[in-house]
Amino acid sequence: MRTHLVLTLLPVVSAVSAFQLPFKLPFFNQPSVQQPLQPTNTRPRIAIIGAGSGRGRPIRERVVHRRACVHHCGHFVRVLTSISSSTGSTVVFPHDNTSLPAIELGASIFVKANKNMWRAVDEFNLTRRDFRDDKGMGIWDGEKLLFTVNLIPPYLASGGWWSWWDNAKALLRYGFQSPRRTQAFVDKMLAQFLHLYSPEAPKWDNITHLSSTLEWTELVSQSTSDYLRSEGVSDKFISELVEASTRVNYGQNADEIHALEGACSLAPTGASAVQGGNFQVFEQFLKRSQANVYLNTTVKSISPTTSNRWVLDSDRGSETYTAVILAAPYHSTKIQVPVDVSSRIPTQPYVHLHVTLLTTTQPSIPPQSFSLPASTKIPAMLLTTFEGARNGGKEPEFNSMSYHGLISEGEWVVKIFSKKRMSNKWLSKMFDGKVGWVLRKEWDAYPVLPPTSSFPEVKLAPGLYYVNSFEPFISTMETETLASRNVVDMLLKDSFESGICGPAGTPLNDTDKEDYVFGWDC
Ligand SMILES: *[C@@H]1O[C@H](CO)[C@@H](O)[C@H](O)[C@H]1NC(C)=O
Ligand SMILES: *[C@@H]1O[C@H](CO)[C@@H](O)[C@H](O)[C@H]1NC(C)=O
Ligand SMILES: *[C@@H]1O[C@H](CO)[C@@H](O)[C@H](O)[C@H]1NC(C)=O
Ligand SMILES: *[C@@H]1O[C@H](CO)[C@@H](O)[C@H](O)[C@H]1NC(C)=O
Ligand SMILES: *[C@@H]1O[C@H](CO)[C@@H](O)[C@H](O)[C@H]1NC(C)=O
């Protein structure tokens, strides 16, 4: 299938002296001085190519072009996008009935430390919805229910592991030190993460350097298991609670995924999502950028001209741009680029994820579905560990399976993440034949994130920038907005001697503001 891409065009005025970006509150302010309108062919123009939804990519990519453009553009913007990505429907309705609660298919939660997402929700007057799901959690290893508790782990709620210390069962199984050390590990990562929003936020053209600036080199070069073990966290805690988290959040095991992403998956989520779907945030970014949007466009190639520009060949024809931001995973775009560019982009494998949503009249999974004694109470949220399989047992059929509340009297909705398609037969067995509506989606949901010390280049060539270079480092909705901000800042500096916060490159005011966010408050 052809990949339809999001193409965002940002024409800006040509004369550098006349160049007045709406640096202050770029999301809302128009440039105060109307620029003289120049013929299109002499205006510098910037194209942003983001991933379309042909393959149902989750919203991660879609953040990119909207954010990038938004930081930039005042009224000189045109956007090309694919229809489905601009409507961005990553929510679905049980029974396809829009009167029922919307359910997010993919990445669905963000935290207060995700300052761009948080701020956008506030600025755009959207409503946050807190997840409150305290019906308990269990860890399934494919054959046995290893542990159940009437709490959910902090990485799926708010607060910290201390809430677990009130729970005798959890304390008995995992002790006091492992949760405490894990908490310290996550807190330290988060404290560093917050620098990315400060007035002195680092800017990077080399992610290896950024990693070192943030003191994350050790994290990113080791697996989550190895790192936590070296911090004195017990094997049992790692293979059960930590692995349950890396599996539910990234579809990867704790001994496969690097410790920076492991820490992200363990961060307390405070579990917020936007009422009606997170996609609205990106829709608003796009709308408020006042960019022109071109739908359903396939970009075929990007090639340099002799005059330091770039020609985009798309099904809209060929057009020349001052600069191009590639905001899609290059290898899945099938875009032709010069060899000296493509050779700089390492292949990035993805975890292929199957999402199965269904409704059932079973209030919980019957224990006989797992061949467990009839007295067993199966918790509403089942997470998994690979530990059984590691020791020669059976691999869990799914990464996670959880009840997501009632949709009507006596009918619940359940979400399953798995590596393979969940057959009707399996579903029927699991819910004792009581399966109503079923919806399946699959996509390359997460990058495969092994320990590493090298990253793709942010700037692929003069005037050609790659947002997704950030993905092997950290991959979340939020960090894509950070990567976009960085690329736009760099592009503005390279082309116009001014960053997103003005020519000085540093914010001029509001830096004392509580909850200051670089890019929003400068
Ligand atoms: C949709 O859901 C609402 C609320 O439960 C219900 O009243 C309505 O009958 C449903 N519509 C259809 C077409 O099933
Ligand atoms: C924000 O939302 C509130 C409640 O929905 C509404 O009353 C208000 O008019 C909205 N404000 C703006 C600026 O859209
Ligand atoms: C997008 O374009 C393709 C062909 O280029 C067409 O088949 C498809 O219907 C279009 N989709 C939308 C939503 O316009
Ligand atoms: C980034 O910096 C590291 C260490 O200085 C260097 O080895 C690497 O080649 C640089 N990467 C790029 C893409 O320039
Ligand atoms: C920011 O600084 C500019 C000039 O330095 C000033 O005109 C403006 O009022 C300041 N804005 C705020 C919100 O303090």
Side-chain angles (χ1 to χ4, degrees):
M1 190 201 287
R2 209 111 182 253
T3 313
H4 294 288
L5 293 167
V6 182
L7 179 56
T8 311
L9 304 180
L10 310 182
V12 293
V13 292
S14 63
V16 170
S17 58
F19 187 72
Q20 299 197 5
L21 280 170
F23 291 119
K24 218 169 117 300
L25 282 182
F27 299 91
F28 302 107
N29 289 9
Q30 291 296 300
S32 51
V33 182
Q34 285 289 318
Q35 303 300 335
L37 210 58
Q38 299 174 39
T40 315
N41 57 2
T42 67
R43 285 203 251 155
R45 300 194 308 155
I46 296 156
I48 301 180
I49 306 166
S53 54
R55 290 161 50 233
R57 300 274 307 162
I59 43 191
R60 248 177 328 100
E61 274 80 42
R62 291 206 290 280
V63 181
V64 174
H65 71 283
R66 287 163 169 82
R67 180 68 183 180
C69 138
V70 149
H71 259 305
H72 191 262
C73 19
H75 61 201
F76 306 108
V77 179
R78 294 190 293 149
V79 176
L80 293 170
T81 184
S82 75
I83 290 199
S84 38
S85 91
S86 89
T87 54
S89 222
T90 52
V91 296
V92 295
F93 297 92
H95 298 290
D96 306 317
N97 181 342
T98 51
S99 309
L100 296 173
I103 307 164
E104 294 267 357
L105 273 175
S108 53
I109 50 179
F110 53 91
V111 275
K112 197 153 189 195
N114 289 177
K115 287 180 175 241
N116 284 336
M117 287 295 291
W118 201 267
R119 179 69 172 264
V121 171
D122 289 342
E123 300 271 357
F124 301 163
N125 207 17
L126 298 168
T127 309
R128 254 185 303 272
R129 176 168 64 89
D130 286 338
F131 282 97
R132 273 268 146 248
D133 205 343
D134 31 26
K135 284 189 239 70
M137 184 277 289
I139 296 181
W140 173 246
D141 77 348
E143 292 173 20
K144 296 180 299 297
L145 202 49
L146 296 180
F147 177 62
T148 62
V149 65
N150 58 0
L151 293 169
I152 56 172
Y155 51 74
L156 295 171
S158 51
W161 288 98
W162 51 80
S163 61
W164 280 59
W165 300 330
D166 291 339
N167 187 288
K169 206 173 164 187
L171 198 58
L172 195 65
R173 188 167 180 90
Y174 302 108
F176 173 82
Q177 293 296 3
S178 290
R180 189 182 68 78
R181 288 170 180 150
T182 303
Q183 177 92 50
F185 158 74
V186 172
D187 287 350
K188 192 169 161 214
M189 183 280 293
L190 281 177
Q192 290 293 82
F193 186 73
L194 291 179
H195 288 312
L196 292 166
Y197 304 97
S198 74
E200 300 79 33
K203 298 169 186 169
W204 59 93
D205 57 7
N206 182 323
I207 295 170
T208 309
H209 291 165
L210 175 69
S211 178
S212 149
T213 305
L214 293 170
E215 298 169 23
W216 285 345
T217 305
E218 246 194 295
L219 292 186
V220 84
S221 62
Q222 291 183 64
S223 74
T224 304
S225 301
D226 285 349
Y227 188 88
L228 285 176
R229 207 171 283 126
S230 74
E231 294 283 299
V233 177
S234 76
D235 286 347
K236 183 174 266 180
F237 192 81
I238 294 169
S239 71
E240 296 182 8
L241 283 167
V242 173
E243 188 152 87
S245 168
T246 59
R247 286 172 63 85
V248 67
N249 286 306
Y250 291 106
Q252 287 157 81
N253 296 329
D255 57 358
E256 296 166 340
I257 194 167
H258 64 63
L260 177 59
E261 198 75 335
C264 289
S265 84
L266 288 162
T269 61
S272 272
V274 179
Q275 187 92 46
N278 290 339
F279 70 90
Q280 296 164 101
V281 170
F282 314 116
E283 212 168 61
Q284 288 293 322
F285 271 135
L286 186 60
K287 203 178 266 170
R288 287 164 196 253
S289 73
Q290 305 193 16
N292 298 335
V293 180
Y294 294 85
L295 299 170
N296 206 13
T297 302
T298 302
V299 177
K300 292 162 196 155
S301 68
I302 308 174
S303 22
T305 69
T306 48
S307 54
N308 291 325
R309 285 169 187 256
W310 293 92
V311 176
L312 284 203
D313 185 26
S314 76
D315 52 12
R316 300 181 71 244
S318 278
E319 291 186 80
T320 304
Y321 296 97
T322 322
V324 174
I325 296 175
L326 180 56
Y330 163 71
H331 292 278
S332 50
T333 64
K334 311 276 191 293
I335 297 176
Q336 300 276 314
V337 297
V339 172
D340 61 339
V341 171
S342 61
S343 64
R344 288 161 179 258
I345 315 177
T347 312
Q348 174 61 63
Y350 284 82
V351 175
H352 194 75
L353 184 75
H354 290 252
V355 180
T356 311
L357 288 173
L358 59 96
T359 60
T360 176
T361 49
Q362 282 288 359
S364 61
I365 295 168
Q368 60 270 24
S369 305
F370 284 123
S371 312
L372 294 169
S375 60
T376 315
K377 172 91 182 67
I378 311 251
M381 175 174 293
L382 279 185
L383 303 179
T384 56
T385 169
F386 194 70
E387 191 63 8
R390 230 174 247 126
N391 298 321
K394 190 164 151 263
E395 186 177 351
E397 303 90 323
F398 50 87
N399 298 346
S400 63
M401 175 157 63
S402 48
Y403 272 70
H404 280 252
L406 273 173
I407 55 154
S408 61
E409 193 54 40
E411 189 175 19
W412 288 263
V413 64
V414 175
K415 190 192 269 188
I416 305 172
F417 285 171
S418 58
K419 286 187 200 157
K420 299 201 179 107
R421 183 179 191 278
M422 306 310 283
S423 67
N424 287 339
K425 193 170 155 220
W426 190 88
L427 296 178
S428 178
K429 179 188 145 218
M430 193 54 45
F431 297 93
D432 197 21
K434 297 184 182 146
V435 178
W437 164 87
V438 179
L439 181 114
R440 293 183 174 86
K441 291 274 178 198
E442 49 184 297
W443 64 59
D444 287 339
Y446 329 106
V448 176
L449 296 162
T452 182
S453 56
S454 71
F455 301 93
E457 292 178 49
V458 182
K459 199 197 294 191
L460 299 170
L464 181 59
Y465 304 84
Y466 188 41
V467 172
N468 294 60
S469 56
F470 208 73
E471 277 204 289
F473 189 51
I474 317 182
S475 175
T476 65
M477 289 192 286
E478 179 69 15
T479 48
E480 292 294 285
T481 69
L482 289 167
S484 303
R485 182 192 75 191
N486 180 64
V487 156
V488 172
D489 189 60
M490 193 192 299
L491 184 156
L492 293 179
K493 282 212 187 85
D494 289 349
S495 304
F496 307 107
E497 289 160 7
S498 180
I500 55 169
C501 285
T506 49
L508 297 172
N509 39 19
D510 271 355
T511 56
D512 293 335
K513 184 171 177 270
E514 205 193 339
D515 267 344
Y516 173 91
V517 183
F518 179 69
W520 291 87
D521 292 314
C522 60

